[in-house]
Amino acid sequence: MPLIGERAPEFTAETTQGTIMFPSDYKGKWVILFSHPSDFTPVCTTEFMMFEKLRPELEKMNCALVGLSVGNVASHIAWLHSIREKIEYRGMRNVQVRFPLVADSTMEIARMYGMVSPSVSSTKAVRALFFIDPAGIVRATIYYPSTLGRNFDEIIRTLQGLQAVDRYGMALPADWRPGDDVVVMAADTYPAAEMRADDSGQDGMRCYDWYFCVKPWNNVVRPEQEREKIAETV
């Protein structure tokens, strides 16, 4: 299983959108690579409809979607056709999935990415999700069991947070949303800790102890046009 900070394993695969070479085909883009247990299953169907609904928003954030399951292209196409022709969920209907769905009939890719949990099933992938940055590095992972659908608000929030961290060199607190206060990285020396305490109040920074200081979002994202840029993307 690739860990956070490691390079995403490479593979070439057939998908519902043609052959892809991963992650090289997505160089310069963020990618959400996710697995699902099986075609023609209800929870997976709701997830694919939600992913397609969010796809335009993700594309505006320079992020592509790639799905994967243990199956062949013909089965994938038949299932996606069924979703478009027959399924309605939360007011969504006639949903045409436009992102690629990898056919991993040998399970080689699923095993390479640690998407198979043998204690649950040796023939199906769990709901694994990898955030891969434009350099092809794994930045975050989320796993769900087959019986629990994903939280799509958290998927968007995680991507927003990772992009904000990269762009502005900040740390983000629990339950952060764009516009919330950000965390100032803790001082790593005694003199720096003293200086941090002296700087409390400057540039909106509030220090509650030497290791815990926060800043308002608007004092981190500057100048004004940069605030507008981040508002558009996150």
Side-chain angles (χ1 to χ4, degrees), residues 131 142 144 151-159 175 177:
F131 295 86
I142 305 176
Y144 290 85
N151 183 316
F152 284 80
D153 289 338
E154 175 61 11
I155 291 171
I156 293 293
R157 188 193 79 95
T158 300
L159 181 61
D175 206 31
R177 298 290 190 280

Side-chain angles (χ1 to χ4, degrees), residues 168 170 180-184 195-207 213-223 227:
Y168 299 106
M170 61 181 69
D180 290 351
D181 287 351
V182 303
V183 172
V184 180
M195 187 179 298
R196 178 69 52 79
D198 293 340
D199 288 343
S200 184
Q202 295 185 26
D203 204 22
M205 185 165 68
R206 306 188 306 279
C207 290
C213 300
V214 297
K215 270 188 178 182
W217 173 257
N218 286 344
N219 286 1
V220 175
V221 182
R222 293 195 226 180
R227 284 204 288 273

Side-chain angles (χ1 to χ4, degrees), residues 21-112:
M21 292 185 291
F22 192 88
S24 59
D25 282 352
Y26 299 91
K27 186 177 180 180
K29 291 181 177 290
W30 287 82
V31 185
I32 292 175
L33 171 67
F34 68 96
S35 61
H36 69 100
S38 182
D39 298 343
F40 298 102
T41 53
V43 177
C44 300
T45 296
T46 63
E47 289 193 330
F48 267 69
M49 295 176 80
M50 287 296 298
F51 272 123
E52 179 58 35
K53 178 182 178 181
L54 291 176
R55 181 183 55 77
E57 180 180 353
L58 292 169
E59 289 178 351
K60 289 180 181 178
M61 299 169 68
N62 191 36
C63 181
L65 283 167
V66 178
L68 179 148
S69 76
V70 178
N72 58 50
V73 171
S75 174
H76 289 350
I77 290 174
W79 177 45
L80 298 184
H81 180 77
S82 170
I83 291 174
R84 182 181 181 183
E85 296 296 321
K86 299 179 180 180
I87 306 301
E88 181 175 352
Y89 173 66
R90 290 191 174 181
M92 294 181 288
R93 59 190 307 175
N94 306 122
V95 175
Q96 182 175 355
V97 175
R98 293 178 171 86
F99 57 85
L101 174 52
V102 172
D104 186 27
S105 56
T106 65
M107 302 182 65
E108 180 181 355
I109 302 169
R111 292 193 178 98
M112 182 190 306

